[in-house]
Amino acid sequence: MTRAGCVDIAVTTNGELTYDDIGGHLRPAGTGPVEIDLTGLRFIDPAGLVSLAVVAERATLLRRPVRFRRPEGGDVANYLTRMRLGEQLAALDVGHDLPRVQERRLGHRLVELRRFDGEAGLDTVAAALVQTYVDDHPELVQPLYAALDEMARNVLEHSTRSHGYVALQRYDARGDISFAVGDSGIGLRERLVRAVPVPDDRTAIVRAAQVHVTSIGRPGRGRGISRVIGITGEHHGSVTLVSGAASGTFRRGSPEPELSDLPASYPGTLAHVRLSL
């Protein structure tokens, strides 16, 4: 099915589950239930939300039971419910004890975790996210849509999965918009090794961002990730790719990522994109 197996995810250190430290909370799953332990969670970003769905989906694909522990902090648990994490877990037949909360308008700060199925589903989700969160920043409509579209289409074209997960959030205090796209598919290394030499997961991240490098042998392909890196460079942002046992961040349009190793292989591929308002 895929090169990597299941992983546990446990927030036990700084209480934050974000794009720049997601790997620190992963560990190889044992032979019992896959653990999603959020008892210590205090803050989560779009990459963290998407990763929870990806970890749960990989477990269900491999027919592994999942044991979910909600955050001890009530506000954080309520936030996860409003972000529709519970709905996505239920769709995967994963039991959870997230609280019920009263629906209310959340304004221009966040959008719930969503699954997109196929190109039609992607178009609907991307249009809704962009129009909802940058209506007072029209200059960002096109670059945000282009970045989200490119990253999500990579999921549909390369992951061997027909769908993926996406979440987006706007942070007014620090002046940026972030989104994450993830899938529980084969990962960057396995998808690229069919076309180019890829000895390890670090190399896969570097090669995936290079123009004209693609696992699809069609003219015009292989520009998606490099194009998004260029967009973030124009908007003082970054792109982070997580796949296999490696993570790489491309800052301000640089084609050279800052690479790091993970203690356990990510069960698919995660892309996090940040643009400054």
Side-chain angles (χ1 to χ4, degrees):
M1 153 67 187
T2 59
R3 181 168 52 87
C6 295
V7 295
D8 295 334
I9 186 165
V11 181
T12 57
T13 52
N14 62 1
E16 298 185 356
L17 190 58
T18 64
Y19 75 96
D20 58 351
D21 64 359
I22 189 76
H25 303 291
L26 299 177
R27 62 191 184 202
T31 58
V34 170
E35 301 280 350
I36 298 180
D37 185 355
L38 306 182
T39 53
L41 182 67
R42 294 186 292 106
F43 177 80
I44 189 169
D45 74 352
L49 281 163
V50 166
S51 295
L52 294 177
V54 168
V55 168
E57 182 171 273
R58 172 59 68 84
T60 59
L61 287 171
L62 296 180
R63 299 182 180 180
R64 295 281 299 276
V66 177
R67 184 158 53 201
F68 179 88
R69 293 185 175 90
R70 77 180 191 181
E72 292 180 342
D75 289 345
V76 180
N78 290 342
Y79 174 83
L80 293 179
T81 298
R82 291 196 173 95
M83 290 295 282
R84 312 290 184 185
L85 175 63
E87 291 183 16
Q88 297 299 338
L89 292 176
L92 295 167
D93 293 325
V94 172
H96 67 85
D97 58 350
L98 289 171
R100 294 179 179 272
V101 297
Q102 184 176 356
E103 294 293 331
R104 60 185 175 86
R105 182 171 176 78
L106 295 174
H108 295 286
R109 292 180 299 136
L110 53 87
V111 68
E112 66 267 18
L113 174 67
R114 300 190 188 189
R115 168 174 158 161
F116 58 90
D117 293 83
E119 292 193 5
L122 167 59
D123 290 342
T124 300
V125 169
L129 299 192
V130 171
Q131 292 302 322
T132 300
Y133 288 89
V134 294
D135 56 340
D136 56 345
H137 285 274
E139 74 281 2
L140 278 180
V141 171
Q142 193 280 328
L144 180 58
Y145 185 92
L148 179 54
D149 184 73
E150 291 281 8
M151 284 304 192
R153 287 186 192 280
N154 266 277
V155 168
L156 299 177
E157 292 182 346
H158 302 294
S159 70
T160 71
R161 304 291 293 153
S162 62
H163 64 272
Y165 295 94
V166 60
L168 180 150
Q169 184 154 5
R170 171 172 160 177
Y171 301 94
D172 288 328
R174 67 189 193 201
D176 65 32
I177 293 177
S178 297
F179 73 81
V181 177
D183 66 78
S184 62
I186 62 175
L188 291 176
R189 182 180 178 187
E190 190 165 330
R191 93 181 193 200
L192 290 174
V193 75
R194 305 166 184 175
V196 294
V198 185
D200 52 44
D201 292 313
R202 282 183 167 226
T203 304
I205 289 174
V206 174
R207 298 301 301 270
Q210 294 173 348
V211 177
H212 305 308
V213 173
T214 178
S215 60
I216 295 180
R218 296 203 307 264
R221 303 310 302 164
R223 295 178 180 271
I225 295 176
S226 63
R227 182 186 179 198
V228 176
I229 292 171
I231 291 172
T232 60
E234 295 170 1
H235 294 274
H236 309 289
S238 64
V239 174
T240 296
L241 300 177
V242 182
S243 186
S247 173
T249 297
F250 302 81
R251 302 188 189 278
R252 294 180 177 265
S254 171
E256 300 296 330
E258 301 169 8
L259 294 165
S260 61
D261 297 319
L262 307 183
S265 290
Y266 192 86
T269 301
L270 173 73
H272 177 274
V273 177
R274 182 180 62 81
L275 302 174
S276 293
L277 294 171

